[in-house]
Amino acid sequence: MRLRTAFSIVLCLLGWAGSPLTAQAQGNYEIQVYPYETVERGHTMVELHSNFTFQGSKSTDDGTLPTNHQLHETIEITHGFSEWFETGFYIFTSAKNGQGWGYVGSHIRPRLRVPPKWHWPVGVSLSNEIGWQSRRYSADTWTWRSARSSINRLAGGISR
């Protein structure tokens, strides 16, 4: 019985380890999954997100630059306005041999969460993101992503 259990565990681990190799890629500028917590009131957080497109488009079918082997550097500046509200601002850039370094666009993302003093058993946050990106990099120059939510179980469970 132990050999069968060990074999099952190893098989599951191999399947799990191999799955990212066949998974579909996320968007070129998708950079983060947000936690429940927001930036503390009066504080500003600055982050640099880097990603590289190993396999992307190789032609300009829709008039945008090919994404194959593009490097993307994104600056995210997030400020906390209260214990339950923050706003993030993104500056997207792209670099590729033959294309040079370019400004892609900017987005703004307000996000609010259920305040901790409400003592919910899970943390819930909701955000919207609106922004512009250059036609050279995206067929959709204006985008709005609404109702992105995050739900996390709080470490302490239900507290009253």
Side-chain angles (χ1 to χ4, degrees):
M1 182 68 173
R2 286 184 181 183
L3 183 60
R4 180 177 287 168
T5 303
F7 180 76
S8 296
I9 291 171
V10 168
L11 189 60
C12 288
L13 288 174
L14 287 173
W16 173 77
S19 64
L21 298 175
T22 60
Q24 292 295 318
Q26 63 188 31
N28 288 325
Y29 299 95
E30 292 294 319
I31 53 178
Q32 179 174 354
V33 174
Y34 302 105
Y36 158 72
E37 293 81 11
T38 52
V39 173
E40 192 175 330
R41 179 184 180 170
H43 290 189
T44 301
M45 175 179 65
V46 179
E47 296 179 272
L48 176 65
H49 304 277
S50 303
N51 64 40
F52 184 81
T53 306
F54 288 98
Q55 290 184 328
S57 63
K58 296 180 182 176
S59 64
T60 58
D61 297 334
D62 61 359
T64 61
L65 293 172
T67 60
N68 196 54
H69 294 161
Q70 272 186 349
L71 170 67
H72 302 136
E73 297 288 354
T74 301
I75 298 170
E76 177 185 357
I77 304 165
T78 306
H79 184 78
F81 290 95
S82 72
E83 72 169 359
W84 53 269
F85 179 72
E86 71 178 20
T87 298
F89 181 75
Y90 300 89
I91 302 167
F92 299 106
T93 67
S94 178
K96 181 179 176 182
N97 191 16
Q99 293 175 359
W101 198 281
Y103 170 70
V104 174
S106 295
H107 287 192
I108 189 165
R109 179 199 41 81
R111 186 163 73 97
L112 53 93
R113 69 174 175 158
V114 172
K117 65 183 176 185
W118 289 8
H119 303 290
W120 280 25
V122 294
V124 177
S125 67
L126 183 66
S127 67
N128 278 276
E129 186 173 319
I130 188 168
W132 174 87
Q133 47 279 339
S134 169
R135 180 69 177 91
R136 294 181 66 203
Y137 298 97
S138 176
D140 298 321
T141 56
W142 283 95
T143 57
W144 176 29
R145 297 179 182 186
S146 62
R148 289 180 156 197
S149 61
S150 176
I151 300 174
N152 302 96
R153 184 180 181 284
L154 298 176
I158 299 175
S159 57
R160 299 234 177 228

